[in-house]
Amino acid sequence: KESLGHPTGAKPQSAPPPAMRLSFAAAALLAAAQDTVLEAVANSADHSTLAAAVAKVAAVGDLLGGAGPLTLVAPTNAAFDAAAGELGAASAAALLERADLGEILKYHVLAADAKTDPLAAAEMTTTQGMKVTVTVGGDPEVTQVVGSNPAGVTITGKVDASNGVLHTCSDRILLPKPVSAVAAEAADLTVLTEALTKAGLTEALGLQNDGALHTVFAPTDA
C-alpha cells in the first residue's frame, strides 16, 4: 500500500525547522540589502573624495556598480589628502582634475575572477593593466599593497559588498608607474632614459606633471 503519495517504507522529506527557515530568510534579506561597491563608496563619509573621483569617470562607476565580483583598494579622504602633498597638488580636490584620474582609479581595482578576501601575498594585475604587489607579514600582521611607491598602502579595514569587497587604506593612494619610471626600469631603454634626463623631460613624464598623459615612441638601445 502507498500512504499520502509515498511508496510503502519511504519517508517523506521533512521541511526545515522554523529557525532554519528564518535564517534562510534573513540571509536573503541581507544579500538583497547589501550595497554594491559603488554604493558602499557613495555611502561612506570617509570616502567622499573617492566617490567624487568615481563620479567623474563614468567607466569606473559602471565597473564598480556592475555584476562583479570586484576587489577595490579604497583610499579614504585622508589618503587623498596625503597624495596631494606627495604629488605637489594644492589639494585633494585638485587631484580630481588630473587627466590621468581614470588610470589612477582603475589601478585601485584588482583584475580577478573572484573577490579577493582576504588579500594574500602575490603579484596581481589591476584593471588599469599594470601590476601591484600584495605583501602580508609582521606581528601583528600587516597587509600592504605596493604600486609605483615602494612604501605601498596599508590595508586598515574592509567592507563587504553585494558584488565584491572594499579594502580600505588611509596613508596614500596607489599610483601606476609613469613613463619615466617604466623607461628607467627597462634594461633596453638606457639610452632613451639618459636622453630624457639630459632634455629635462623626466619630470614632464613623471607623476608630478599634473596628470598629463603622453604617448612615447621608445627606441631601444639597439
Side-chain angles (χ1 to χ4, degrees):
K1 293 182 180 182
E2 294 183 358
S3 174
L4 298 178
H6 296 281
T8 302
K11 295 181 179 179
Q13 291 184 346
S14 59
M20 187 176 292
R21 291 200 298 271
L22 286 173
S23 296
F24 290 157
L29 286 172
L30 181 61
Q34 198 170 52
D35 290 337
T36 63
V37 170
L38 179 64
E39 291 167 338
V41 170
N43 293 335
S44 170
D46 288 335
H47 291 87
S48 57
T49 305
L50 176 59
V54 171
K56 286 179 171 287
V57 186
V60 175
D62 291 342
L63 175 65
L64 300 185
L70 301 167
T71 300
L72 172 68
V73 178
T76 63
N77 298 339
F80 276 95
D81 290 339
E86 290 179 356
L87 295 174
S91 65
L95 292 180
L96 307 192
E97 302 304 320
R98 290 174 64 104
D100 61 352
L101 180 62
E103 298 299 302
I104 291 173
L105 292 176
K106 288 185 285 186
Y107 193 60
H108 287 76
V109 184
L110 304 184
D113 294 331
K115 78 174 185 179
T116 307
D117 183 32
L119 289 170
E123 187 177 65
M124 303 188 71
T125 302
T126 68
T127 57
Q128 186 268 346
M130 291 186 175
K131 296 180 184 296
V132 294
T133 301
V134 179
T135 64
V136 181
D139 185 16
E141 188 172 87
V142 174
T143 299
Q144 289 191 307
V145 182
V146 182
S148 63
N149 186 334
V153 301
T154 302
I155 301 304
T156 55
K158 74 158 189 170
V159 178
D160 286 312
S162 61
N163 62 342
V165 63
L166 299 79
H167 294 287
T168 61
C169 62
S170 297
D171 40 8
R172 61 183 57 83
I173 66 175
L174 291 169
L175 294 165
K177 290 179 181 178
V179 172
S180 58
V182 172
E185 292 176 1
D188 59 348
L189 294 178
T190 58
V191 176
L192 174 62
T193 300
E194 184 178 352
L196 292 174
T197 301
K198 287 184 176 181
L201 293 175
T202 302
E203 184 174 334
L205 297 176
L207 288 172
Q208 293 187 339
N209 67 349
D210 295 326
L213 295 170
H214 300 280
T215 299
V216 176
F217 294 95
T220 65
D221 296 345

